[in-house]
Amino acid sequence: MAIVQQSVRWIRRDGRIVDGASPETLTQPGRVRVLDQTRLPGEVVFLEIDELEPLIDAIRRLAVRGAPAIGCAAALGLAAVAGKYPPLSLADFRKRLEADGALLAAARPTAVNLSWAVNRVIREMNASGARNDVEAKRALLLAALTVLAEDIRLCRAIGENGLPLLRDGMTVLTHCNAGALATADYGTALAPIYLAREAGRRIRVYADETRPLLQGARLTAWELQQAGVDVCVICDNMAGLVMKEKRIDLVIVGADRIAANGDTANKIGTYSVAVLAAYHQIPFYVAAPYSTFDLSLPDGKGIPIEERDGTEIGNGFGRRTAPDGVSFYNPAFDVTPRELITGYITERGILTPPFGAAGEVL
Ligand code: MRU
C-alpha cells in the first residue's frame, strides 16, 4: 500500500502500524500516527501523538486534515490519550473522556466527521459493558480501530460507485484535496479516479490550487503524481476559462458536511466552481461517506463555517503579500446549494436528495 494511503494509522508500542483491530493490538498501548500534511510536498514526515493538546493542535493547524481523516485521527487519538489516563474508577474515566472528547470535537467546526467520530467511540465504549477503566480503554480502542477500518471500506465503495462516471480519456476538475491524504485510504473525490487508473483508463485531472492553503497544489497534485495520474495544477481563478475551453468533462469534489436537503459545505471556492460548472453545463458531483451527512440539519444555513486567521491570506507564500494594516476575511468553507449538484457519490451508490428523516443515516 502506498504511503499516501496511510495518512492516518495506529502505531502499537511494538512499532507495528495497523489499520484494524486484533486481540494483540487491543492489549497494548499505542499512538495515532499521521502524515504531517503541512510539510508536503517537500517532506514526508509522520507525527505520533498520544496527548490531547498536540492532537488538537495537529487538527487545528491542518497537519491532519480532510473530513474523514480528521474523524479517524480524532477517534484513534482519543483512544491513545485515554490509554494514558492513570487508574480511575469507571465513573471518573467516563467523566474525563467526555471532557477530553468535547475539547477535541471543538477543534474545527465545519467537518461533521470530527464530532461524529468522537461521539461514536464514546457511545460504543459506553455500550460495551466494560466493568472497569482497563476494559473501557480496550473498548474505546476497538471502537476507534473500527472507525479506521470502516473508512478504508467506505473509500473503496465510493470509488467503485463513481467509477462508471469515468470513461477512458476523460478530464476531471477537482478542488482542494479529497484524496488519500484526506481519508484513511483512496479518498472520496479521487477514489473513482484511482480505480479508473487501476482499470487502465486514462484520466486527466485539473487541480485547483486552492488558496489560501494550497491543498490542491501541494496535496492533490502530490498524491496524484505519486499514483501516476496525469495532473495539471491551475490557479483557482482559471477554472472558468478551462471550462469554457471545453477541457473539463466532469467536476468531482469532496464534502465536509451535507445537510438533509443536499446543501454541501466544502473548501472555500467550491461554490464558485459549482456555479461555473452549471453555467458551462458540466456535471458537478460531490463524493462523501455517510459520516459526512448531517441529517439533523434541514439545509445548509445551519452549517458552522470555520473562519481562520487572515495571515493565511496575507502571508500565504512565506512573505507578506498585502500591505500591513489591511484587513482580511478568511472563511475556510462555503456552502454549495443542492440545485448546483448533479449527484452524491456515496458508498451506497450515486444518490440524490432529500436524504431521509432527521437523525437517520443514509
Ligand atoms: O480545510 P481542509 O483542508 O480540512 O478542507 C478539506 C476539504 O474541504 C475537503 O474537500 C473535505 O474535507 C473532503 S475530504 C475527503
Side-chain angles (χ1 to χ4, degrees), residues 90-108:
L90 189 55
D92 285 345
F93 177 87
R94 284 188 172 149
K95 221 181 283 171
R96 187 161 167 181
L97 186 69
E98 285 286 347
D100 285 351
L103 290 171
L104 184 55
R108 292 189 79 191

Side-chain angles (χ1 to χ4, degrees), residues 52-65:
L52 188 64
E53 278 311 316
L55 179 61
I56 290 174
D57 183 58
I59 292 172
R60 282 211 182 116
R61 64 186 183 82
L62 276 53
V64 54
R65 49 141 302 282

Side-chain angles (χ1 to χ4, degrees), residues 37 62 64-70 108 111 175-179 182-183 187-189 213 215 219 253-256 265-268 270 287 289 292 306 308 332-333:
Q37 301 188 37
L62 276 53
V64 54
R65 49 141 302 282
I70 298 175
R108 292 189 79 191
H175 189 76
C176 192
N177 172 263
T183 64
T188 57
L213 294 181
Q215 287 94 330
L219 308 176
V253 297
D256 288 86
N266 191 49
K267 178 52 55 194
I268 189 72
T270 302
T292 303
E306 176 182 7
R308 294 182 65 87
F333 300 93

Side-chain angles (χ1 to χ4, degrees), residues 45 51 122 131 143 188 218 221 230 233 271 289 309 313 356:
V45 175
E51 282 173 16
I122 294 178
R131 289 161 299 180
T188 57
R218 292 189 304 108
D230 181 5
V233 177
Y271 170 53
D309 199 282
I313 301 177

